[in-house]
Amino acid sequence: MIFWIRFSLKFKDEVIVQPFTSKVSRIVVSNYPSYVKISESNEPLKPVRVTVIRDEEGRSIFKSMGYKILKLKAGVNYYFDLTSLDINLFEEVVSNPYFNVKVYSTEASVEVRETKVFEEPEIEDSKAYRIEFKTPTLIQPPRPNFKRKKNRYLLFPFSPYFLVSIQRHWNKYQEKKIIISHSRALYYFKEVDYNLRPVTIIYDKSKVRGFVGWALFTLEARRNSSLRDGIRKLLAYANYVGVGKSRAIGFGEVMVKSIKN
């Protein structure tokens, strides 16, 4: 089961926040013991994801390196989303949908605005899909055997690595596994247009470099084939769990839409 919750929040006073605002989202959902337990675990590919804060127009709020301080205004409605694969967390949320929480130098009133529960997300079958990378996306190539110190992130969503990053999360938590080879992903899910740019974010005093923007892919696998169905399931899943590394804390948030023409 996949549980999706949208929270709204309003600050009592104007507040200076860290440049990647999922920090604020995490403060809010730390009101729930199950979230704290999951987030403190060293287990990779966690069964939760929080997004950054958004304004009422749906714009994701974060600042890349070089920008001035980031402030959230008093009395303005903001929101963020939580996806959970843990029913205990969902039950805690629905049993406590209204509360106040201290956020840095002020207080915020929090309300659960909307919830969704489904067995499996769906996306329309189409010849093409537009993927918007709403927050910096951190896609890793396979780790080499030799000793290395730093993470390596790609600045383009090459289809094999993009799909595999979703596949790993899916296969960890879903009963029916999806297996897609790199070569089949490369030749049947093809990039045809894009507008991407690299960005560097400061998170916990560390520099994190990923990319944002959009890319258009064609899906050329045969209709009703297991490959086509598997890719479609992964694309739909990505809308709720994200893509790549550190998705649990808001990186790699995507919006995947089918394109008719």
Side-chain angles (χ1 to χ4, degrees):
M1 299 288 286
I2 298 174
F3 307 96
W4 176 89
I5 306 103
R6 174 158 290 176
F7 291 88
S8 63
L9 67 161
K10 186 182 295 185
F11 297 96
K12 182 179 179 182
D13 307 291
E14 183 178 76
V15 58
I16 296 174
V17 298
Q18 295 192 351
F20 200 65
T21 57
S22 69
K23 282 278 190 178
V24 176
S25 308
R26 297 184 69 196
I27 290 173
V28 172
V29 294
S30 291
N31 189 65
Y32 302 108
S34 290
Y35 177 79
V36 175
K37 181 179 178 180
I38 294 169
S39 64
E40 290 179 348
S41 168
N42 292 325
E43 187 75 13
L45 302 173
K46 291 180 173 58
V48 296
R49 190 278 300 266
V50 295
T51 68
V52 298
I53 301 296
R54 303 191 193 104
D55 61 23
E56 283 290 354
E57 284 71 46
R59 292 174 295 211
S60 300
I61 301 174
F62 62 90
K63 293 289 187 183
S64 56
M65 276 189 63
Y67 283 84
K68 296 180 180 180
I69 59 175
L70 178 58
K71 297 180 181 179
L72 298 178
K73 298 178 180 178
V76 173
N77 286 314
Y78 295 100
Y79 71 94
F80 70 92
D81 300 335
L82 166 69
T83 299
S84 173
L85 306 181
D86 183 282
I87 191 171
N88 294 320
L89 175 54
F90 179 72
E91 289 176 345
E92 289 175 11
V93 170
V94 297
S95 65
N96 185 17
Y98 309 99
F99 57 92
N100 293 333
V101 62
K102 182 173 176 56
V103 178
Y104 301 123
S105 61
T106 189
E107 188 176 79
S109 58
V110 181
E111 178 181 349
V112 174
R113 179 186 293 189
E114 184 181 355
T115 64
K116 295 180 184 178
V117 180
F118 35 75
E119 290 284 349
E120 189 176 295
E122 296 182 354
I123 196 167
E124 186 178 4
D125 197 356
S126 180
K127 292 182 178 180
Y129 294 90
R130 185 183 189 274
I131 304 171
E132 182 181 356
F133 299 90
K134 299 173 71 67
T135 59
T137 300
L138 313 176
I139 294 179
Q140 290 181 303
R143 289 180 174 272
N145 292 326
F146 57 82
K147 187 176 180 181
R148 51 192 297 280
K149 294 182 179 180
K150 294 183 178 179
N151 286 318
R152 166 77 163 97
Y153 301 126
L154 305 176
L155 296 181
F156 187 87
F158 292 106
S159 55
Y161 304 132
F162 170 80
L163 291 174
V164 165
S165 75
I166 313 167
Q167 175 186 288
R168 288 172 180 159
H169 199 285
W170 172 285
N171 286 345
K172 182 172 181 177
Y173 295 105
Q174 304 302 315
E175 184 176 347
K176 188 176 180 180
K177 309 306 179 186
I178 296 175
I179 305 298
I180 298 174
S181 69
H182 279 58
S183 59
R184 288 170 70 82
L186 185 64
Y187 280 90
Y188 288 99
F189 192 62
K190 297 163 57 175
E191 67 279 1
V192 293
D193 199 4
Y194 61 89
N195 183 5
L196 301 166
R197 63 183 177 88
V199 291
T200 302
I201 297 292
I202 299 295
Y203 192 91
D204 283 343
K205 299 182 180 181
S206 298
K207 295 180 182 179
V208 182
R209 190 162 176 81
F211 63 87
V212 295
W214 60 265
L216 183 67
F217 290 83
T218 56
L219 178 53
E220 301 179 8
R222 180 172 49 84
R223 295 276 180 176
N224 299 317
S225 65
S226 60
L227 175 61
R228 188 179 189 91
D229 291 345
I231 291 176
R232 286 179 53 214
K233 287 180 180 180
L234 294 180
L235 294 178
Y237 191 64
N239 274 331
Y240 293 93
V241 303
V243 175
K245 190 175 184 297
S246 299
R247 70 190 83 183
I249 57 174
F251 289 91
E253 181 186 349
V254 298
M255 180 184 293
V256 185
K257 291 183 177 181
S258 59
I259 302 296
K260 287 289 188 180
N261 299 312

